């Protein structure tokens, strides 16, 4: 199963890339366009994208009207979770 790395700041999802991808480049591009430099980002690795969170899952990100959570192939998902089971 493919896992993803998320970059989040101020409640905004800046990047969602497969684990191991160049998250730094994606963040630099998104931050420079949207906010400028000097952002404090939370980088969360090893998340699973899903449309239904299980009771034991830790929800890291939930889709909002302002940000779409997409996998590498462009499919939308509702949640990014850490699976504990």
């Amino acid at each position: 199963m493919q896992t993803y790395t998320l970059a989040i700041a101020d409640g905004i999802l800046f990047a969602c890339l497969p684990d191991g991808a160049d998250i730094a480049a994606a963040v630099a591009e998104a931050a420079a366009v949207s906010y400028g430099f000097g952002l404090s980002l939370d980088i969360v690795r090893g998340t699973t994208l899903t449309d239904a969170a299980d009771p034991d899952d830790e929800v890291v990100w939930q889709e909002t009207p302002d940000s779409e959570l997409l996998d590498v192939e462009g499919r939308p998902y509702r949640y990014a979770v850490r699976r504990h089971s």
Side-chain angles (χ1 to χ4, degrees):
M1 175 178 282
Q2 176 74 54
T3 57
Y4 285 78
T5 298
L6 306 181
I8 303 166
D10 297 331
I12 297 169
L13 179 64
F14 277 83
C16 175
L17 296 174
D19 282 349
D22 188 359
I23 193 81
V27 167
E29 180 181 331
V33 169
S34 301
Y35 275 81
F37 295 100
L39 266 191
S40 177
L41 290 166
D42 293 321
I43 305 296
V44 183
R45 291 179 171 80
T47 65
T48 300
L49 305 184
T50 183
D51 285 321
D54 293 337
D56 292 337
D57 288 344
E58 173 191 350
V59 176
V60 175
W61 184 259
Q62 184 172 343
E63 167 191 60
T64 70
D66 296 330
S67 74
E68 201 170 27
L69 184 60
L70 303 174
D71 71 6
V72 71
E73 295 174 4
R75 289 182 298 238
Y77 290 88
R78 295 186 64 209
Y79 302 97
V81 300
R82 282 192 177 144
R83 292 250 147 106
H84 296 290
S85 52

